[in-house]
Amino acid sequence: MALAGLALAGLAGTAVADVTPIHKTKEELQVMTEALSAHESTTFPLIFPGAERVTPGAWGGLAAGLFDGMQFVGNQIRFTYQGDRYTSVYLEIFAPGFRTDSPAQVCERTKCVSVEDDLLGGVVVVAEDEESRTQLVTSFRPNGEVVTAQAWRLGLGTELTAVATDRAYTFTG
């Protein structure tokens, strides 16, 4: 747990230095999200062994669709996994500096089951809510990007961590 304490202390109340906000055009977002969907289709069957019918949903923000100036995108990936016909993961990618909460703040809002260094200079927070049966993994990256992967099913922490820490899911690329 010492590592978790160091991870929380390291990002608890400090902002990431030298964050350059990124605002993409609708056209840039369309190119980016097409590549992200292709990556989901390829990697989800590897991350979730035996996953079938992997279907990435449309990317967008709080309202459906992509718009000029957006600083985050999200989509839902549906697939069949371990006999569950409607398994889904909701993935969000936030541009550097857009999401300003810290790992400690995430743990204040929800039950954190682990906080670890991701070995790439970032911190990974795994949280769960037993009542709603949701699990959420948040990857805080050194450049200020934040990536979350959420499932409405407990016990997928390892798989969601693999998704959230996959550096192909980026707003800066």
Side-chain angles (χ1 to χ4, degrees):
M1 204 57 175
L3 183 59
L6 289 174
L8 272 174
L11 286 177
T14 60
V16 177
D18 301 322
V19 171
T20 303
I22 296 174
H23 302 268
K24 293 195 176 203
T25 66
K26 181 178 180 179
E27 291 76 25
E28 290 171 322
L29 290 164
Q30 287 172 327
V31 170
M32 179 183 88
T33 58
E34 286 172 13
L36 293 171
S37 291
H39 187 70
E40 289 169 338
S41 295
T42 304
T43 60
F44 267 63
L46 302 173
I47 293 170
F48 298 86
E52 298 176 328
R53 294 188 287 278
V54 175
T55 308
W59 288 88
L62 295 175
L66 302 172
F67 307 95
D68 286 334
M70 286 179 71
Q71 291 187 283
F72 75 99
V73 292
N75 85 327
Q76 187 168 15
I77 308 95
R78 293 193 170 125
F79 52 101
T80 302
Y81 183 59
Q82 297 178 339
D84 186 353
R85 187 171 167 204
Y86 297 107
T87 299
S88 67
V89 170
Y90 186 69
L91 178 65
E92 288 182 306
I93 304 167
F94 298 88
F98 182 75
R99 187 166 157 184
T100 59
D101 58 344
S102 69
Q105 289 168 321
V106 170
C107 292
E108 288 170 6
R109 290 191 306 265
T110 188
K111 175 186 169 191
C112 287
V113 294
S114 73
V115 179
E116 302 291 334
D117 182 340
D118 74 357
L119 305 178
L120 296 170
V123 174
V124 178
V125 176
V126 179
E128 64 183 33
D129 183 336
E130 291 176 10
E131 187 176 324
S132 65
R133 299 192 44 77
T134 59
Q135 193 151 30
L136 174 69
V137 175
T138 306
S139 173
F140 292 87
R141 299 182 179 175
N143 69 347
E145 274 184 310
V146 177
V147 176
T148 65
Q150 179 175 350
W152 290 265
R153 176 177 170 178
L154 297 175
L156 297 178
T158 301
E159 294 88 346
L160 294 174
T161 297
V163 173
T165 59
D166 183 339
R167 292 306 203 250
Y169 298 118
T170 181
F171 210 89
T172 59

